[in-house]
């Protein structure tokens, strides 16, 4: 592995950690994240849940890039993780705003993404065999 290749790999690993830790913190402990990192009032729990969801998705896509060379799989992984955690955000925050249908729509879209990722992983696995 060349020096620049190794450097890029370490930067991606650092990105996975930074986005992953920040995302889990914002999603799991939104008020603590607000108090320490994003002290811009007013506090909005759902906003921090969504922020966490998409940071976790970035971390997942970066991690996927270390595992797979297939751009479609990596993109689907990031999109799927983002959509699943975003849907969870709307389940947790149901009733805090939006429409009564948001949660259900996001759950359906998340299920479609999960199915598409599962199909793609099977496709990639069959191409290797």
């Amino acid at each position: 592995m060349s020096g620049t290749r190794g450097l890029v790999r370490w930067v991606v690993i650092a990105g996975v950690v930074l986005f992953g830790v920040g995302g889990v913190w914002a999603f799991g402990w939104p008020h603590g994240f607000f108090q320490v990192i994003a002290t811009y009032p007013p506090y909005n729990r759902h906003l921090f849940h969504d922020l966490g969801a998409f940071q976790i998705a970035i971390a997942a896509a970066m991690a996927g890039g270390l595992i797979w060379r297939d751009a479609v799989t990596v993109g689907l992984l990031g999109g799927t993780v983002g959509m699943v955690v975003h849907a969870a955000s709307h389940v947790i925050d149901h009733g805090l705003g939006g429409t009564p249908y948001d949660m259900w729509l996001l759950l359906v879209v998340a299920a479609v993404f999960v199915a598409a990722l599962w199909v793609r992983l099977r496709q990639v696995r069959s191409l290797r065999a």
Side-chain angles (χ1 to χ4, degrees), residues 10-95:
W10 281 108
V11 169
V12 172
I13 291 168
V16 170
V17 171
L18 289 172
F19 282 111
V21 168
V24 168
W25 186 9
F27 187 84
W29 298 271
H31 197 263
F33 187 89
F34 167 75
Q35 290 178 313
V36 175
I37 302 295
T39 57
Y40 310 107
Y43 170 71
N44 180 321
R45 182 178 81 182
H46 183 71
L47 178 64
F48 286 101
H49 282 157
D50 282 353
L51 171 70
F54 296 117
Q55 286 188 35
I56 292 167
I58 293 169
M62 292 179 82
L66 294 172
I67 298 167
W68 297 294
R69 300 291 175 240
D70 179 62
V72 173
T73 303
V74 171
L76 269 173
L77 175 67
T80 300
V81 169
M83 188 55 66
V84 167
V85 182
H86 187 209
S89 159
H90 280 261
V91 169
I92 293 166
D93 296 331
H94 188 67

Side-chain angles (χ1 to χ4, degrees), residues 83-84 86-88 90-91 94 98-114:
M83 188 55 66
V84 167
H86 187 209
H90 280 261
V91 169
H94 188 67
T99 72
Y101 309 105
D102 289 348
M103 178 182 71
W104 299 109
L105 177 63
L106 289 170
L107 286 168
V108 168
V109 173
V112 169
F113 271 69
V114 167

